[in-house]
């Protein structure tokens, strides 16, 4: 089968690539010269728009849907990527959900749903990534700075992301001899539609004031750190990288 991959073009899969941070990551990696697979589960129109923005800027991208926690969906996504581009060099897993409530009031169905996507989804994606990534490749998972803040209502969400961090640290050691880096980005407050929803300007200003940079982050700030881990920052490996302007 012929592929569209150029010999000098690296290939990236961005899980959750149609969301706020995921879109910024997709566009940044494309701007850095990578062919990008923009994954989505329900946001097909947003994924299509992201692909259009990339191609209009001169990049190469395609959108592929699927459930990150379904091993068959994800296997098909990785197989389609290899068939189209010839291989995979970077996998970035931004996909995840957040349910906030005190532990005493936690609905276990919500807990199970969050862990299915955040934890099982990371296991599924990590398995496929380490099986497919070429030498010189990078896997970038996503946690949150909340794991260090002990903020009320975030216990179950922080627990799911703590699992992601532990998995990242061990997987990096399992990649010995393959020249593949495995890291996790842990963003702080970031100006995505999800973060800003239902928050007053006063609350956003208060959160911004917690950082010595005196602002909240942008998706582009996070994407810049991902781009470093996906490309030139080869000596950063097996780490949790906090991208929060010094708020933690």
């Amino acid at each position: 089968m012929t592929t569209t991959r150029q010999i000098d073009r690296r290939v990236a899969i961005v899980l959750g690539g149609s969301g706020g941070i995921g879109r910024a990551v997709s566009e940044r990696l494309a701007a850095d010269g990578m062919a990008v697979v923009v994954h989505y589960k329900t946001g097909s129109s947003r994924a299509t728009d992201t692909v259009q923005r990339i191609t209009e800027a001169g990049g190469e991208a395609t959108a592929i849907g699927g459930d990150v926690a379904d091993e068959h969906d994800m296997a098909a996504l990785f197989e389609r990527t290899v068939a189209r581009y010839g291989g995979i060099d970077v996998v970035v897993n931004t996909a995840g959900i957040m349910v906030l409530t005190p532990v005493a009031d936690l609905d276990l169905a919500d807990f199970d749903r969050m862990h299915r996507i955040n934890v099982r989804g990371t296991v599924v994606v990590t398995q496929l990534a380490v099986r497919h990534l070429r030498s010189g490749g990078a896997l970038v998972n996503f946690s949150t700075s909340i794991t260090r803040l002990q903020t009320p209502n975030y216990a179950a969400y922080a627990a799911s992301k703590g699992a992601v961090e532990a998995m990242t640290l061990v997987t990096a050691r399992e990649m010995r001899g393959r020249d593949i880096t495995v890291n996790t980005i842990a963003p702080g407050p970031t100006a995505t539609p999800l973060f800003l929803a239902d928050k007053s300007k006063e609350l956003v200003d208060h959160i911004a004031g917690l950082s010595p940079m005196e602002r909240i982050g942008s998706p582009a700030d996070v994407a810049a750190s991902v781009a470093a881990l996906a490309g030139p920052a080869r000596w950063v490996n097996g780490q949790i990288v906090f991208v929060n302007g010094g708020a933690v």
Side-chain angles (χ1 to χ4, degrees), residues 29 42 89 129 183-184 186-187 217 235:
L29 296 183
T42 59
D89 302 285
N183 293 287
T184 282
W235 199 236

Side-chain angles (χ1 to χ4, degrees), residues 19-25 28 190-193 216-226:
I21 291 176
R23 168 177 283 195
V25 169
R28 173 57 190 265
T190 306
T192 63
I216 61 175
S218 71
D221 290 324
V222 180
S225 296
V226 173

Side-chain angles (χ1 to χ4, degrees), residues 67-98:
D67 178 354
V68 292
D70 185 307
E71 64 271 33
H72 305 294
D73 279 6
M74 290 300 97
L77 182 148
F78 275 72
E79 289 166 5
R80 288 179 61 185
T81 301
V82 172
R84 182 177 180 89
Y85 294 114
I88 302 168
D89 302 285
V90 175
V91 175
V92 183
N93 187 12
T94 75
I97 64 170
M98 180 171 61

Side-chain angles (χ1 to χ4, degrees), residues 136-151:
L139 168 61
V140 183
N141 287 319
F142 263 68
S143 179
T144 170
S145 291
I146 281 292
T147 58
R148 302 301 188 272
L149 291 174
Q150 299 86 46
T151 304

Side-chain angles (χ1 to χ4, degrees), residues 137-194:
L139 168 61
V140 183
N141 287 319
F142 263 68
S143 179
T144 170
S145 291
I146 281 292
T147 58
R148 302 301 188 272
L149 291 174
Q150 299 86 46
T151 304
N153 300 326
Y154 282 85
Y157 175 66
S160 74
K161 290 303 187 177
V164 171
E165 293 184 6
M167 195 181 320
T168 293
L169 299 179
V170 174
T171 304
R173 277 70 187 176
E174 293 178 348
M175 292 298 97
R176 176 181 292 273
R178 291 188 54 192
D179 190 24
I180 292 171
T181 61
V182 185
N183 293 287
T184 282
I185 291 281
T190 306
T192 63
L194 179 63

Side-chain angles (χ1 to χ4, degrees), residues 183-202:
N183 293 287
T184 282
I185 291 281
T190 306
T192 63
L194 179 63
F195 172 79
L196 296 173
D198 301 322
K199 288 185 175 68
S200 66
K201 182 179 184 303
E202 291 74 18

